[in-house]
Amino acid sequence: MASTSSLALSQALLARAISHHGSDQRISLPSFSRAASATSSRRRNAASMTKLRSLRPLVRAAAVETLETSTDSSIVDKSVNSIRFLAIDAVEKAKSGHPGLPMGCAPMAHILYDEVMRYNPKNPYWFNRDRFVLSAGHGCMLLYALLHLAGYDSVLEEDLKSFRQWGSKTPGHPENFETPGIEVTTGPLGQGIANAVGLALAEKHLAARFNKPDAEVVDHYTYVILGDGCQMEGISNEAASLAGHWGLGKLIAFYDDNHISIDGDTEIAFTENVDQRFEALGWHVIWVKNGNTGYDEIRAAIKEAKTVTDKPTLIKVTTTIGYGSPNKANSYSVHGAALGEKEVEATRNNLGWPYEPFQVPEEVKSHWSRHTPEGKALESDWNANFAAYEKKYPEEAAELKSIITGELPAGWEKALPTYTPESPGDATRNLSQQCLNAIAKVVPGFLGGSADLASSNMTLLKASGDFQKATPEERNLRFGVREHGMGAICNGIALHSPGLIPYCATFFVFTDYMRGAMRISALSEAGVIYVMTHDSIGLGEDGPTHQPIEHIASFRAMPNTLMFRPADGNETAGAYKIAVTKRKTPSILALSRQKLPQLPGTSIEGVEKGGYAISDNSSGNKPDVILIGTGSELEIAAQAAEVLRKEGKTVRVVSFVCWELFDEQTDEYKESVLPSDVSARVSIEAASTFGWGKIVGGKGKSIGINSFGASAPAPLLYKEFGITVEAVVDAAKSLF
């Protein structure tokens, strides 16, 4: 019987997921003893369950043993063809999709989901489940078919029939926020394998921190299928290089080696020796030469991969894209289009498949139905194991529980530093380091690093060492010069467990290298914290190659993204307070290289509103002019206000630290900050003025930089580009 604490842990995590996906997601709570309801219609009788329980201590061993004792070959053949035809039928009904990959990858995918992986279909968020990533996300019907056969409530027959349709739980690429059972959102090639590296890193880190010689509570694998397109994308090499360096032994990647891409045979553009490249990257490499029918070869490869614990494994599986299609197999025409009615019929005849569209043979249903009770038993065993662990190691259990559930320690935000105007001025990148280290002391799932710029981004956690192959319990991640891979790996870390809060850092301008991963953060609701320093021309002599101009505006345009540009210590702390709590929204902090003063009127509470007044000598909510600034230019706005006030004007100075948070406020609050009848507004920001029109209005003025920067000392650059007190005063006077 699971303890009350273990029950609460599992149900709290599942409740978060149900809330996350909405009430129509058909997820049932797992049953534990008397505390939970009977939700599974396929529950075994008490005698069968007793037999299962007697086998539970051998679960991991049993998973390996099944690789040696093959399931009845006729059932395997029918299961594999069920996967193929569910994909074929769904794509055909939608008249859209990618049937070729599911048809070719069905054998390896069947063996993974039916014989190897540990999961609970009725609780897709069980912590110690094995993770699977389909990096070649265009072949998503493979994954939907697997989830359907395995008994996940998120993919019923009706969902397969609505593939790629409005409101469907089976969209055109896997989306973790739509379909329980999908770990990460994939589609842009290469992102998935990098996410998988993040998932495997998370497992290795948590296992090193929390497992004990007499108690193992973190023990799962990460599996991934990637294709030729993923291999061609540079991000996959960045991530694979790090996986090899870190020795992620529980990462097993299947390379769908079918030699076909959209334009044709890969001979036209991709002829490198992938095996040798991965060996050079520090991977163990296995080649399965017959991925179409070589079931035992696939089983043997997985068994071998699991014996290699000090490095990740790439299993190259040579397959035929569109296997079984008489006229389209092994061609680009089966990659991204429905087979067509005649070819579907020909494929049915060729593979001896007499069943109607979407029909799964009863013996296949019966075979796969065991995963529901077995999954329930696996989770129940883990809960009991965790309950014993909690009694023996209460402090570690509390930390791990926080990471599993995402529940932050009570009062954690009190650790954030606060500042007064008398506090020494400093660059916000340095103030950020103070915040990072304060958070790390009180939030157990906080970890991260930089793309070879830790000493410049100021991102090192002083109380921790480096996460390395031999020291995976440490929390400083060294990504090297791999921005794109870094961002995608952090997405995987964030999506592993709700309480893992990764941050990553580079110069703000180099977000250009990682924008694809940052967009996936926003889309997949991965609350990564992006620490971006050197945020403007204020970085000085490095010049326009390093000076961001359009970047702030571009991220303000990205949905589900918080773009912070704090002006001092209090605003930096406020930005981190929000970023840590926003687990479904990534946050970007644009931080200065140059020293800035601690301004009067700034506050952590003000940042929570996105925009707020830091000084105001007006009354009745009717200032003569409103000056609006962000980051290093808020000081300029404050100085300009003093000049204007000496001339008898009433001036409100507003920090617009995060537009997105301001947009979330009530109309009443917005009116209290930016009254609609005050049209005299001036904004100043050392970046593109794009977008400021909606803030200052048609009669307002925006001061910024709409050209590239230059190489010179920062004070001279500010003068030459007109980012000055005088410019703000002149603009304000032009509005009176």
Side-chain angles (χ1 to χ4, degrees):
M1 182 184 296
S3 73
T4 303
S5 61
S6 297
L7 170 62
L9 178 60
S10 292
Q11 292 188 327
L13 185 57
L14 191 55
R16 281 176 61 95
I18 293 172
S19 172
H20 174 64
H21 288 281
S23 59
D24 63 337
Q25 278 304 124
R26 305 183 294 270
I27 306 174
S28 55
L29 287 170
S31 60
F32 294 92
S33 188
R34 302 174 186 172
S37 61
T39 57
S40 172
S41 62
R42 292 180 287 180
R43 179 177 293 139
R44 292 185 177 182
N45 60 37
S48 298
M49 286 304 296
T50 300
K51 184 177 180 181
L52 266 176
R53 289 190 186 100
S54 70
L55 297 175
R56 286 179 197 165
L58 301 176
V59 163
R60 176 62 81 186
V64 176
E65 286 166 9
T66 59
L67 302 180
E68 297 174 347
T69 28
S70 304
T71 307
D72 183 290
S73 60
S74 64
I75 286 294
V76 175
D77 286 337
K78 282 191 175 181
S79 290
V80 168
N81 281 332
S82 293
I83 295 167
R84 289 183 175 128
F85 281 99
L86 286 174
I88 291 169
D89 295 338
V91 172
E92 193 65 27
K93 187 174 188 298
K95 304 301 179 188
S96 172
H98 300 75
L101 182 146
M103 295 167 71
C105 289
M108 67 178 99
H110 160 82
I111 290 170
L112 270 179
Y113 264 81
D114 187 53
E115 301 180 15
V116 178
M117 287 175 55
R118 301 188 307 167
Y119 55 88
N120 180 2
K122 299 309 176 186
N123 181 9
Y125 305 99
W126 169 44
F127 167 72
N128 206 39
R129 68 191 181 278
D130 289 332
R131 270 75 169 172
F132 174 78
V133 175
L134 183 62
S135 188
H138 54 273
C140 56
M141 266 309 307
L142 173 74
L143 188 44
Y144 299 147
L146 292 165
L147 296 178
H148 176 66
L149 291 175
Y152 284 77
D153 294 327
S154 53
V155 185
L156 305 179
E157 183 178 326
E158 64 200 60
D159 300 303
L160 299 176
K161 291 179 177 178
S162 61
F163 176 54
R164 285 186 163 225
Q165 304 307 302
W166 177 263
S168 169
K169 300 303 177 188
T170 50
H173 288 85
E175 298 172 359
N176 64 294
F177 53 92
E178 287 287 356
T179 315
I182 304 294
E183 299 290 351
V184 299
T185 295
T186 58
L189 295 175
Q191 294 287 335
I193 177 62
N195 294 164
V197 171
L199 291 168
L201 180 153
E203 193 278 343
K204 182 165 183 155
H205 173 69
L206 295 177
R209 280 178 63 182
F210 295 106
N211 285 349
K212 304 293 182 181
D214 62 341
E216 191 173 71
V217 290
V218 183
D219 174 28
H220 49 267
Y221 282 84
T222 301
Y223 301 95
V224 58
I225 291 178
L226 69 159
D228 290 305
C230 295
Q231 293 283 19
M232 294 184 218
E233 289 285 359
I235 184 176
S236 66
N237 196 70
E238 292 182 17
S241 176
L242 282 166
H245 170 73
W246 287 327
L248 301 180
K250 287 188 176 177
L251 173 61
I252 300 176
F254 294 79
Y255 166 32
D256 177 26
D257 173 42
N258 63 38
H259 296 281
I260 296 293
S261 63
I262 292 176
D263 280 353
D265 194 290
T266 54
E267 285 292 322
I268 64 176
F270 187 58
T271 55
E272 68 191 47
N273 189 313
V274 174
D275 305 44
Q276 291 180 6
R277 174 161 63 88
F278 270 75
E279 286 174 350
L281 293 173
W283 287 58
H284 179 65
V285 178
I286 307 169
W287 182 15
V288 173
K289 297 180 181 180
N290 177 14
N292 298 324
T293 58
Y295 305 141
D296 286 338
E297 287 184 59
I298 296 170
R299 293 182 179 109
I302 297 171
K303 182 180 179 182
E304 179 182 334
K306 288 192 171 187
T307 66
V308 179
T309 59
D310 63 339
K311 59 179 66 176
T313 295
L314 179 77
I315 302 176
K316 184 175 79 169
V317 186
T318 298
T319 66
T320 300
I321 190 171
Y323 179 86
S325 171
N327 303 300
K328 294 188 176 183
N330 199 36
S331 73
Y332 68 90
S333 61
V334 78
H335 170 85
L339 293 178
E341 185 177 344
K342 290 184 178 180
E343 190 64 14
V344 169
E345 187 62 27
T347 304
R348 275 184 153 77
N349 292 334
N350 188 41
L351 292 177
W353 195 251
Y355 303 97
E356 294 297 314
F358 299 101
Q359 183 180 355
V360 177
E362 288 302 319
E363 57 267 43
V364 173
K365 290 182 182 179
S366 176
H367 175 75
W368 280 80
S369 67
R370 75 188 193 283
H371 290 292
T372 292
E374 287 180 358
K376 178 182 176 182
L378 285 168
E379 182 175 359
S380 180
D381 283 343
W382 184 85
N383 282 328
N385 188 27
F386 185 81
Y389 178 90
E390 189 173 26
K391 289 181 180 179
K392 197 165 186 179
Y393 306 103
E395 292 184 6
E396 291 92 333
E399 284 197 359
L400 181 55
K401 190 181 296 186
S402 171
I403 291 170
I404 292 173
T405 64
E407 184 176 343
L408 293 167
W412 73 270
E413 70 281 359
K414 295 176 183 177
L416 289 168
T418 56
Y419 306 85
T420 69
E422 292 71 40
S423 301
D426 208 343
T428 51
R429 62 170 175 164
N430 294 332
L431 299 167
S432 165
Q433 186 177 42
Q434 296 174 21
C435 292
L436 289 172
N437 279 275
I439 294 167
K441 291 178 180 179
V442 294
V443 177
F446 196 67
L447 74 168
S450 168
D452 198 48
L453 289 168
S455 60
S456 192
N457 299 143
M458 310 305 292
T459 49
L460 282 179
L461 302 179
K462 297 177 181 179
S464 294
D466 290 347
F467 177 97
Q468 296 290 356
K469 185 174 183 178
T471 55
E473 70 279 4
E474 301 293 352
R475 294 159 73 178
N476 284 305
L477 306 180
R478 301 286 191 169
F479 291 103
V481 189
R482 303 181 182 93
E483 291 90 354
H484 200 182
M486 173 178 70
I489 288 169
C490 283
N491 284 339
I493 296 171
L495 293 173
H496 181 279
S497 295
L500 283 177
I501 306 176
Y503 66 88
C504 61
T506 186
F507 291 171
F508 193 25
V509 75
F510 296 145
T511 54
D512 289 341
Y513 283 123
M514 60 193 296
R515 187 175 298 268
M518 297 173 80
R519 187 177 189 273
I520 292 294
S521 295
L523 178 61
S524 62
E525 301 179 352
V528 177
I529 301 175
Y530 292 94
V531 182
M532 303 290 109
T533 69
H534 298 62
D535 69 336
S536 72
I537 60 168
L539 64 88
E541 293 84 350
D542 275 344
T545 61
H546 284 51
Q547 292 165 352
I549 298 295
E550 74 282 11
H551 297 71
I552 295 175
S554 72
F555 286 114
R556 285 173 179 156
M558 187 177 285
N560 191 39
T561 300
L562 296 178
M563 179 68 243
F564 292 95
R565 190 162 183 252
D568 64 2
N570 286 329
E571 289 203 338
T572 302
Y576 274 111
K577 180 182 178 183
I578 297 296
V580 168
T581 56
K582 290 281 189 177
R583 292 296 78 233
K584 296 178 184 178
T585 300
S587 297
I588 304 168
L589 279 68
L591 304 167
S592 75
R593 177 181 184 269
Q594 72 273 34
K595 183 180 292 188
L596 301 176
Q598 311 293 351
L599 296 171
T602 61
S603 68
I604 291 175
E605 295 73 25
V607 174
E608 296 176 15
K609 299 291 187 180
Y612 66 106
I614 67 165
S615 69
D616 188 2
N617 68 329
S618 69
S619 60
N621 202 27
K622 294 181 180 179
D624 293 327
V625 65
I626 302 174
L627 306 182
I628 310 166
T630 74
S632 47
E633 291 73 67
L634 186 60
E635 175 194 7
I636 295 175
Q639 291 174 347
E642 290 304 311
V643 173
L644 291 168
R645 287 167 184 161
K646 289 177 181 178
E647 297 180 7
K649 300 300 181 181
T650 58
V651 185
R652 175 177 296 167
V653 180
V654 171
S655 171
F656 235 61
V657 60
C658 181
W659 291 21
E660 298 77 27
L661 290 178
F662 187 77
D663 286 343
E664 294 176 3
Q665 305 310 310
T666 64
D667 290 341
E668 291 77 11
Y669 178 79
K670 293 176 186 176
E671 182 68 16
S672 73
V673 177
L674 299 177
S676 54
D677 58 356
V678 179
S679 60
R681 304 178 185 180
V682 179
S683 69
I684 181 167
E685 186 172 60
S688 170
T689 59
F690 186 85
W692 275 104
K694 79 170 189 176
I695 307 299
V696 301
K699 296 181 179 180
K701 300 285 186 179
S702 293
I703 299 170
I705 305 173
N706 292 309
S707 65
F708 291 116
S711 178
L716 180 59
L717 290 173
Y718 269 72
K719 179 181 177 181
E720 293 295 332
F721 282 101
I723 310 298
T724 64
V725 172
E726 293 76 17
V728 176
V729 171
D730 289 345
K733 288 182 176 179
S734 73
L735 301 176
F736 297 147

